[in-house]
Structures are given as C-alpha cells and as structure tokens.
Amino acid sequence: MKTILLPLILLCFTFCPAQSGKVTRIDNFKSKYVKPRNVEIWLPAEYAANPKQQFPVLYMHDGQNVFNPKTAMDNVPWKAGDTAQRLIGKKEIQPVIIVAIWCTDARYYEYFPEKAAAYLTDEERQQMDEAAAKMGVAKNEFLGDEYLKFMVEELKPYIDKNYRTLKDAPNTSVCGSSMGGLISFYAMCEYPDVFGQAACISTHWPILFDNKNMAPSNAVRGYFKEHLPSPANHRIYFDHGTTTLDEYYEVHQKVMDEIMAAAGYIPGKNWLTRKFEGAGHSEAFWQERFDVTLKFLYPNNL
C-alpha cells in the first residue's frame, strides 16, 4: 500500500479506565506507507509535574492491547501505564513515555521481517500465505519495511515534535509480543541509529503455528544473524512461556541465544533471555511480567 494519504489526523484526549497517567489517542494516523491506524500516547505523572524534563520513549505494537480493557484482546490489557507508573513511583525505573501503535488486518505481513523473505523458498512463502488465510487474513505483500518507515519517518517525528522526548537511540525503545516481537527485533536491526533497545516478548519464531516445518524460522534467524547491531550500544530483551503457543518457542530461542552470544552480547548487561514456566500466549501473561521488561529497558542505574 504505497499511495500517499494526507487527511486530517483527529486527536482524542481520553483517560483509559483504571489507567495511571494521561493517555492521548490519535484516531486514524495517516501514512503514505501502510494503512492508517490509531495511536495512543501515555504520559507519566512526571510529565506534567516537571515541564522542563525530557523523557525516553517506548514504542509498542498491538497498541489496542496496551492500555484499555475495552479494546484489548479478551478485555485484558497489558496495563502498561499502571505498571510503569508504579515502578516509577518506587524509583525502580526512569520515567518514560509509552506510544502504543494499533495493528491492522495486515498485521501478519506488517510484522514479518521483510528482508528475511529473501531467505524463504516459494514453497515456504506459500505456507505463510496459507497460515495467514487460516487466520482470515487475505494474501498480501510483505510490509515490514513499510511499517518501519511509517514508524521512523512519520510517527517518531510527530512524537518528537509534539512531546518532550529524548530523541537519540539509547532513549528510544521498541517492544512487542508474538509477531510483534519479531518486528521489534527487526526494527533495531534495520534502524540501529534510531532504536537502541528492543523487547521481544513471546517472540513468534516458528512463523507458522508449530515446529513441524523449521525452514521459515531458520530463514528469519539467518537474517538476524547477519544484521545484528553492535552490542556496544544496543540492548535486547527476550522471553517466552512454556504453554499454549509459547511451548514451541524455547528450541528457537536457544538458537537465537547462541547467535547473540557469538555476536558479543553479554547476558545481564546488554541482553536478557527469560523463561517463564507455566506462562501461555496471551495478554494476561504479558501483563504479569511487563515489569520485568521495563526494569531491563529503563533501570534507574543506567
């Protein structure tokens, strides 16, 4: 989808139920690269309290699930703002702005690392299209690069212009779960000068929906192996559970961990992989451990 769309962006100022801090929603944020979508911006209480302070920014995918139970899957959001505000209040993390980007019906193709498609065979691409069809998603072109252009060339400049942000890479992070984990990792690899940190939660390494065919996941890891940014100025968080869809992830994550170590990443310093026994593949589980993610990304001692 490459046509240029320039209608007016509508702003809705809302307070999400049971949500600490202020949430501003932009309805139908237009893009010349991808479909328009809603974007929500959460500001910590410190934003209003300290009018001269600038803040790091965390960009999150599947934004409809991040704050609001009315729009979240099964009405269970991550409660990202509540968790962040609680940790900020305890001085366990730095104050941070959270930008939640809603997904569209092209999610499967927008969140796939597009340049990794060069590592796929025609048969593997067909299998991906068949998997998408089972989810009710129409066959589409890969849109990962276009989605990242939307983030980097359109959304981030808007956020930096309208909010008091720390604009550099060390203060700009990206986070997502499942396919959102893949596109978060891809964002850091494609734009290492923009995103200094990535959090990949329950990363959907299989690409398909089980481990019967490992070829697509090997193709994706082949791309990442060749494009990892420098460990000198990048940090990355991975995790996975052990039940439902997450039961397929550990074997893939172990291979990725070997790639990370070979590239010079150091566990506990600029890289962390966590396994959560009994955790499944849903917002309820990601909500429970989002504090772990935030403490890695924004510890007060950095």
Side-chain angles (χ1 to χ4, degrees):
M1 182 174 288
K2 308 288 176 70
T3 54
I4 297 178
L5 301 170
L6 296 173
L8 179 67
I9 293 175
L10 299 178
L11 292 177
C12 296
F13 296 89
T14 62
F15 290 91
C16 292
Q19 185 71 43
S20 300
K22 179 181 178 181
V23 177
T24 301
R25 193 172 91 183
I26 304 173
D27 285 331
N28 243 17
F29 195 109
K30 300 300 185 291
S31 169
K32 63 183 178 182
Y33 298 111
V34 291
K35 291 182 177 183
R37 68 206 60 219
N38 296 341
V39 175
E40 295 176 332
I41 302 103
W42 178 84
L43 302 176
E46 289 72 13
Y47 191 89
N50 303 303
K52 293 185 178 181
Q53 185 175 351
Q54 293 176 296
F55 298 81
V57 182
L58 172 60
Y59 290 88
M60 296 185 66
H61 311 294
D62 291 314
Q64 69 279 0
N65 298 325
V66 172
F67 303 123
N68 195 338
K70 292 182 178 179
T71 59
M73 180 74 70
D74 298 323
N75 302 119
V76 179
W78 288 41
K79 294 187 177 180
D82 285 348
T83 300
Q85 195 67 68
R86 173 172 54 82
L87 295 176
I88 293 167
K90 294 167 66 177
K91 300 189 183 304
E92 293 185 19
I93 67 167
Q94 307 164 54
V96 57
I97 294 171
I98 301 176
V99 179
I101 310 164
W102 288 35
C103 70
T104 71
D105 58 358
R107 176 184 185 275
Y108 187 66
Y109 294 97
E110 287 183 344
Y111 289 3
F112 180 79
E114 187 169 342
K115 288 186 175 60
Y119 296 75
L120 295 169
T121 66
D122 291 341
E123 180 181 358
E124 291 157 5
R125 170 62 202 264
Q126 182 179 351
Q127 290 174 323
M128 283 190 63
D129 290 336
E130 291 172 354
K134 290 180 181 178
M135 295 186 292
V137 178
K139 181 178 179 180
N140 208 331
E141 60 181 314
F142 290 116
L143 294 167
D145 288 347
E146 287 71 23
Y147 178 71
L148 293 187
K149 287 178 182 177
F150 152 67
M151 288 186 66
V152 171
E153 297 180 18
E154 296 172 331
L155 179 58
K156 186 178 187 298
Y158 175 88
I159 298 297
D160 288 340
K161 179 180 178 181
N162 289 279
Y163 297 91
R164 300 193 310 274
T165 64
L166 294 167
K167 302 174 178 60
D168 59 344
N171 287 292
T172 306
S173 305
V174 59
C175 170
S177 61
S178 195
M179 291 291 288
L182 286 176
I183 195 64
S184 296
F185 198 12
Y186 189 57
M188 193 176 73
C189 291
E190 285 292 295
Y191 292 92
D193 295 334
V194 175
F195 301 105
Q197 302 188 115
C200 307
I201 297 170
S202 290
T203 313
H204 190 60
W205 296 115
I207 307 301
L208 305 175
F209 295 100
D210 55 40
N211 287 337
K212 293 178 182 178
N213 183 353
M214 303 288 274
S217 56
N218 289 335
V220 168
R221 280 193 298 275
Y223 162 85
F224 285 128
K225 183 176 181 179
E226 295 181 8
H227 294 86
L228 273 176
S230 171
N233 52 3
H234 293 86
R235 304 174 74 246
I236 186 159
Y237 170 91
F238 295 108
D239 75 22
H240 62 85
T242 60
T243 66
T244 63
L245 196 56
D246 275 38
E247 71 178 279
Y248 299 111
Y249 293 168
E250 184 172 14
V251 62
H252 299 277
Q253 187 62 56
K254 285 183 175 179
V255 177
M256 193 64 236
D257 289 348
E258 292 175 0
I259 293 172
M260 295 290 292
Y265 282 84
I266 301 172
K269 181 181 178 182
N270 52 12
W271 158 44
L272 182 64
T273 294
R274 288 287 304 270
K275 174 181 176 180
F276 291 89
E277 289 287 353
H281 195 86
S282 73
E283 274 67 29
F285 289 105
W286 300 328
Q287 177 199 116
E288 286 182 1
R289 64 182 189 259
F290 189 54
D291 59 337
V292 178
T293 307
L294 287 173
K295 288 177 185 178
F296 175 83
L297 294 176
Y298 299 105
N300 251 334
N301 60 347
L302 279 188

